[in-house]
Amino acid sequence: MDLTNARQRAAHLAAKPTIQLPDNERKRPLPLAELPRICQKSTITLRPDDLGIKDKLRQDRRYLTPAWQDAYKSIRANTEGVNGRIKGHHIDIGDPMNRLAHGRVAQTLLTALMVCLANQHILLSWRQTHDHTEQPAPQDTPTPDEHDPAPPKADSRPPPRE
């Protein structure tokens, strides 16, 4: 088994949750009639209210049905798109060289800052694409051959990245 492969490690039997039986039950299992009722069946049925506090995690639509795809496909696409931008080449959140601080707290804070920076990039690119408000022309527009010694306005935005 390749220990560097997370999928293989998770699929290994040793990684599965188990219940250790006492030696006397393991060597001489109880007859089927003496086992609890839940252990006598090969399947169980859960009703919507059987989950208790975890009922909020239940999905109302069956997995991969057209109704499920209509409800969750766009959400999943949006989530994967954001993950792709965060793990992309501009802000590579997966590269440990981008957050060289030691310790879990420092790593968590740096990761949170990187996600905030990625959100700022997303908002800026959206504004550059969609925010096309017409600015009124200034009254005293200089001709191209005049030299304007004034620096550009501070509220200007950089050109969009390709």
Side-chain angles (χ1 to χ4, degrees):
M1 179 175 81
D2 182 13
L3 293 177
T4 60
N5 187 335
R7 189 176 288 240
Q8 282 184 2
R9 282 195 324 262
H12 194 272
L13 289 177
K16 305 291 181 199
T18 58
I19 298 173
Q20 296 298 326
L21 294 174
D23 283 339
N24 60 349
E25 285 187 39
R26 188 172 45 84
K27 293 176 183 172
R28 288 184 291 286
L30 294 173
L32 189 62
E34 292 181 28
L35 290 174
R37 198 170 130 208
I38 195 165
C39 297
Q40 295 174 6
K41 298 180 177 182
S42 60
T43 62
I44 61 169
T45 302
L46 290 177
R47 289 170 187 76
D49 295 331
D50 290 345
L51 297 175
I53 196 165
K54 294 183 181 177
D55 192 44
K56 67 180 180 181
L57 304 175
R58 182 176 55 88
Q59 291 183 357
D60 294 328
R61 297 163 184 89
R62 269 189 84 186
Y63 182 63
L64 292 181
T65 60
W68 181 90
Q69 289 178 349
D70 291 343
Y72 295 107
K73 190 173 184 179
S74 60
I75 296 169
R76 181 174 173 89
N78 186 29
T79 302
E80 293 300 327
V82 170
N83 288 344
R85 287 186 85 148
I86 290 174
K87 294 176 185 177
H89 61 278
H90 291 294
I91 303 172
D92 189 2
I93 202 168
D95 186 8
M97 294 300 291
N98 291 337
R99 32 187 174 78
L100 293 175
H102 297 287
R104 182 177 289 165
V105 174
Q107 293 285 317
T108 303
L109 290 174
L110 287 173
T111 302
L113 289 173
M114 291 170 79
V115 170
C116 289
L117 184 64
N119 285 335
Q120 290 293 324
H121 281 280
I122 291 168
L123 291 172
L124 179 64
S125 66
W126 185 88
R127 282 191 64 201
Q128 289 175 344
T129 305
H130 294 88
D131 194 14
H132 295 293
T133 56
E134 293 296 323
Q135 301 287 335
Q139 299 296 339
D140 53 340
T141 306
T143 58
D145 40 305
E146 288 183 30
H147 178 66
D148 186 15
K153 291 182 184 179
D155 63 344
S156 65
R157 293 187 302 239
R161 292 185 180 166
E162 297 281 328

